[in-house]
Amino acid sequence: NAGVTQTPKFQVLKTGQSMTLQCAQDMNHNSMYWYRQDPGMGLRLIYYSASEGTTDKGEVPNGYNVSRLNKREFSLRLESAAPSQTSVYFCASSPHPGTPVFGDGTRLSIL
Amino acid sequence: AQTVTQSQPEMSVQEAETVTLSCTYDTSESDYYLFWYKQPPSRQMILVIRQEAYKQQNATENRFSVNFQKAAKSFSLKISDSQLGDAAMYFCAYRIGNYGQNFVFGPGTRLSVLP
């Protein structure tokens, strides 16, 4: 039972490089989310998608773009990475209504 | 804006003892849900317990229980008979209604369990 799968698990980028974080869920959930986790700040919502074909900004969307490719997949793109985007990124999905199930996270370092 | 506060950045408990983690939240909504998530060193986010604001009865899940004080906007987590595997970061979280998209998380409490 895979649940929510995030790739990659670790990545190091140089400032200005671009990257896409991938997320897929196999639970037929309608809603999907991207969070970032920084020390002392808990998790903060970057973007979410309530259903296939829709996306909305969360608390900290600047510097990011998302694509809800289909019901299973929700990707997060950094067009021009900055050191402030060094963080652990979590993808989650949930039924609607329901409680999110989280992936294992991606540790991203930007030098 | 909704906020969640966890005033204890770190706590420790002796194995087999009981510990209580504090959480307060600020909202003007009447329909909301509260959660405790556990994050072990593996980095997984694991749901521990949830509480519907309209329910007066405190939620329990085995050794985990909450003390929900709606008027005081307080939602503490009690862990009984602490085990080494309980060592983790614990996050309190809040969501408006059952369809709300945004979970607001507190900053977390790091719990150590001493053998």
Side-chain angles (χ1 to χ4, degrees), chain A residues 9-10 31 33 35 37 40 42-43 45 48 50 88 90 96-100 102 104-107, chain B residues 35 37 39 42-47 50 89 91 95 98-108:
Chain A
K9 296 191 183 305
F10 302 93
S31 299
Y33 313 79
Y35 286 88
Q37 181 180 18
L43 277 72
L45 184 65
Y48 66 92
V88 178
F90 285 94
H96 194 65
T99 302
F102 286 84
D104 289 342
T106 295
R107 182 175 295 279
Chain B
F35 306 81
Y37 278 88
Q39 187 180 42
S42 66
R43 211 167 60 198
Q44 290 178 293
M45 291 290 289
I46 302 166
L47 178 67
R50 64 176 258 169
M89 283 289 287
F91 293 97
R95 181 183 71 193
N98 207 15
Y99 290 83
Q101 296 294 335
N102 193 9
F103 279 67
V104 179
F105 285 83

Side-chain angles (χ1 to χ4, degrees), chain A residues 3-108:
Chain A
V4 178
T5 302
Q6 291 183 234
T7 55
K9 296 191 183 305
F10 302 93
Q11 185 69 48
V12 179
L13 293 178
K14 294 182 179 178
T15 298
Q17 287 185 316
S18 62
M19 166 145 198
T20 299
L21 306 186
Q22 306 288 352
C23 176
Q25 53 95 5
D26 61 2
M27 295 170 286
N28 202 36
H29 287 169
N30 288 314
S31 299
M32 297 187 74
Y33 313 79
W34 276 105
Y35 286 88
R36 61 178 288 172
Q37 181 180 18
D38 301 296
M41 301 189 73
L43 277 72
R44 292 181 294 169
L45 184 65
I46 305 171
Y47 271 93
Y48 66 92
S49 171
S51 61
E52 184 179 353
T54 68
T55 60
D56 286 284
K57 295 178 180 179
E59 181 185 355
V60 289
N62 291 343
Y64 305 95
N65 286 302
V66 291
S67 295
R68 183 75 183 267
L69 304 171
N70 48 55
K71 192 171 186 179
R72 290 186 64 248
E73 299 172 288
F74 188 39
S75 62
L76 178 72
R77 183 161 177 83
L78 287 70
E79 290 291 352
S80 179
S84 61
Q85 295 176 306
T86 293
S87 189
V88 178
Y89 291 85
F90 285 94
C91 178
S93 72
S94 73
H96 194 65
T99 302
V101 175
F102 286 84
D104 289 342
T106 295
R107 182 175 295 279
L108 182 62

